[in-house]
Every structure is written in C-alpha cells, then in structure tokens.
C-alpha cells in the first residue's frame, strides 16, 4: 500500500501541531508496513505511484483543489478544522482586526489566503479557489472525499454545522510518542511553582492574556515557542508586558521539552481555540496538571482531568492555574493517554480506513 501525504507549503518553515501530526503518523504507518511519502502542496508529485492521497488542513482548500483535479485518485482528509472567528472578529489588532469585525468567518479565511500569497509567498496553487471562495471550495473537497478523518467527534460535529456532510468518517485521535514523553519517574521532580506554556507565540494562542494573568503571582511562567513571523507586533507586546517572574525560552525540539515537562507542575494553553492541544497531551503524560481553553475540542480528550479557563479573562486563567497547582497529578489521565492517544494508535486506526477504502475500490 502506497499513500501520499500532501501538506501545506509552509509546513517546515512554520511548523505547528499539524506538522507533528503528519510526521508522527507517517512514521508509525511506515512501521506498520505502509509506504508513505510526504509532499508539500507547492511540490510536483507523481500521483500514479500511489494508491490514494491523504490531505490535511481543510481550512486551506486553495492548497488542495489543484491536486484533486490533477490526480484523479481517491483521497481522505484530516480536516484539523480550527475556528479562528472569535479571535479574528473580536481580539485581532490593527487594520485587519478592524476589517474582520464586519465579515463572516469564511470570508476572513479567504482574505487570509490572499494575504499569505502576497506577503508570505505562499502561492495559491488552485486558480478556481479565487472565484469559488472559501466555503464552496471546502464543500467541494468534502463532497469528493472518500473518507473524513477528524481528530474528535466534536470536530466532526462542528464541521456539520458549517457544511453538508454525507461522507463516512472515522475519528483518528491526536497523540504523543511515549518513547519520548513517558517515564515512571515523571512525577518525582515537580516544582510546585513552575508553569509552562508550550506553543507558537501568536494571538490565537493568547500568551498576552496569560502574561497578564501571571504577572506578580507566586508562579514562574516559562513560555516555550517561536514567535510567529506574521505577528512580530504581538511578540513585542508579550515581551513588553512580561514581569520578572516570566521568561521566554524559544522553540525547542520535542526531546528537549522533556526536561521542562518533567519539572513543571502545570502546563497551560489558554488559546482562543484548540482542536486538541498536543503540548497538553505531552505534558499530561509527564505528570503536569493541565489548564486549557474552554473553546474547541479539548474536553473530549481531557474530560474532568483538566482545568478549563475562559481565554478572554486573565482572572479565569489565573484561578485555573491556582486550582491546578493545588492538586495531585492524575494517573488515570496518564494511563488514558498511553492507551488511547498515541501516534501508534492513530496510525493503526488510519491504516484500517485505508485498507477498507482500497478494498471497496478494488471491488
């Protein structure tokens, strides 16, 4: 079985959670005997060599349409359906923030695609996207897909609110690599006052409100992540607002995150939206108590074993951190992650979909 993963053009220069999902799933599928190659949307591919295609990030339909037209191959898609509308309309600063206040969400995403093509050199590969627009382009991709692979039931239900869906789907969970992020000794070295936030520094991740919440507190906050190249103003505002108990570490490889996860009592993602929060999964399996946004799909993963905050309220963020810091780590959550939320589990479920799909096509 030969499968071609097709990912956004900026996957390597602006890596995020989707990059970890794509690379980790591919690695584990290969271990299961599936031949997987990865191409970016702006690269040429010999589609004839593959049995099917696997796309990611349905909110970037301009990256996908061209390959559908050229390949004529069956395909599945992992939507990674992130909804940025609340942040874009209510909390984004500058000229774009003022413009977005008056526009519907799909129009905002269309304008972002145009802006990326101008300012980030992310060429719009599919000319039809220009006249179809965001919503119609996504609907066409859904209509032609053989299978949808959302990361949670909640994600699938959110998709159904925006689009007409008559396709089969299978929930493929996000995960962690237990070879990197699990040890029996992870609970023994905790610093009760150390709080981590592992995420790219950008408005949607909401580090500025986190900084306001933690300034002057008894906690030490470490912000680990690279500043988004498109939000240097936000990065400067974060640095300017940070008190003496807050430090910026920069981006670290996954292997180097282990030391920080092992020592921290709390990990927080107070984002305006999260489909899962991969760093929250990683931190939780290493014994951190998890504070995460109440927006998005995270409750399906963490249930009652996390503390949820309102990203618009520094007071809510600080209260959630205080509560999480006062509690013992949940061994039950650690074991749930190891059983249900690993990249091996994700790959096994994905392979089952591939096999069923190709069997149906062969008939």
């Amino acid at each position: 079985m030969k499968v071609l993963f097709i990912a956004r053009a900026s996957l390597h220069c602006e890596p995020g959670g989707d990059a970890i999902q794509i690379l980790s799933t591919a690695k584990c599928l290969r271990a299961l005997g599936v031949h997987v190659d990865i191409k970016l949307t702006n690269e040429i591919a010999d589609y004839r060599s593959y049995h099917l295609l696997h796309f990611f990030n349905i909110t970037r339909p301009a990256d996908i349409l061209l390959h559908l037209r050229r390949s004529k191959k069956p395909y599945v898609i992992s939507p990674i359906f992130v909804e940025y509308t609340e942040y874009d309309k209510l909390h984004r600063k500058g000229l774009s923030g003022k413009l977005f206040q008056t526009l519907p969400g799909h129009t905002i995403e269309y304008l972002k695609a145009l802006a990326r093509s101008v300012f980030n050199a992310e060429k719009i590969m599919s000319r039809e996207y220009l006249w179809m627009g965001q919503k119609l382009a996504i609907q066409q991709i859904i209509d032609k897909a053989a299978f949808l692979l959302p990361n949670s039931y909640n994600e699938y239900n959110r998709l159904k609110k925006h689009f007409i869906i008559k396709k089969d789907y299978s929930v493929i969970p996000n995960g962690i690599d237990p070879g990197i992020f699990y040890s029996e000794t992870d609970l023994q070295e905790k610093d009760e006052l150390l709080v981590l936030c592992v995420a790219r520094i950008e408005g949607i991740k909401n580090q500025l409100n986190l900084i306001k919440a933690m300034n002057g507190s008894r906690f030490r906050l470490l912000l680990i992540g690279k500043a988004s190249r498109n939000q240097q103003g936000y990065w400067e505002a974060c640095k300017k607002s940070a008190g003496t108990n807050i430090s910026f570490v920069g981006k670290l490889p996954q292997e180097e995150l282990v030391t920080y996860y092992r020592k921290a009592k709390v990990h927080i993602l107070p984002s305006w939206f999260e489909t899962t929060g991969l760093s929250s999964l990683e931190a939780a399996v290493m014994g951190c108590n998890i504070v995460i946004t109440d927006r998005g799909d995270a409750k399906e993963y963490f249930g009652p074993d996390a503390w949820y905050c309102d990203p618009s309220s520094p007071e809510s963020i600080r209260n959630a951190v205080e509560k999480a810091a006062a509690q013992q780590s949940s061994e039950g959550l650690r074991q749930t992650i190891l059983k249900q939320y690993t990249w091996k589990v994700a790959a096994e479920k994905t392979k089952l979909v591939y096999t069923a799909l190709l069997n149906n096509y062969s008939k």
Side-chain angles (χ1 to χ4, degrees), residues 58-62 64-65 68 75 105-107 109-110 127-144 162-164:
I58 203 167
T59 52
R60 287 175 173 249
I64 297 173
L65 292 172
L68 302 191
Y75 67 91
H106 294 298
T107 303
E109 293 303 322
Y110 179 77
R127 289 186 178 181
E128 59 264 47
Y129 175 75
L130 296 175
W131 59 263
M132 291 176 70
Q134 180 80 0
K135 187 170 185 178
L136 184 59
I138 292 178
Q139 186 66 64
Q140 184 176 113
I141 291 167
I142 290 172
D143 290 344
K144 294 183 177 181
H162 291 270
F163 305 99
I164 300 170

Side-chain angles (χ1 to χ4, degrees), residues 13 57 258:
C13 62
N57 288 311
V258 169

Side-chain angles (χ1 to χ4, degrees), residues 281-297:
L281 283 177
E282 296 164 358
V285 84
M286 296 200 66
C288 297
N289 283 346
I290 300 304
V291 176
I292 197 164
T293 180
D294 61 8
R295 269 69 153 181
D297 309 323

Side-chain angles (χ1 to χ4, degrees), residues 236-247:
E236 293 298 328
C238 286
K239 290 190 292 183
K240 184 177 180 179
S241 299
T244 56
N245 61 321
I246 297 171
S247 301

Side-chain angles (χ1 to χ4, degrees), residues 64-81:
I64 297 173
L65 292 172
L66 176 70
H67 296 279
L68 302 191
R69 176 161 45 83
R70 287 181 174 177
S71 70
K72 308 300 183 185
K73 289 282 185 177
Y75 67 91
V76 301
I77 183 162
S78 296
I80 315 181
F81 184 51

Side-chain angles (χ1 to χ4, degrees), residues 108-135:
I108 292 172
E109 293 303 322
Y110 179 77
L111 293 177
K112 286 183 189 176
L114 298 182
R116 287 193 296 267
S117 70
V118 174
F119 299 110
N120 293 357
E122 293 183 35
K123 183 179 179 181
I124 293 178
M125 304 297 293
S126 313
R127 289 186 178 181
E128 59 264 47
Y129 175 75
L130 296 175
W131 59 263
M132 291 176 70
Q134 180 80 0
K135 187 170 185 178

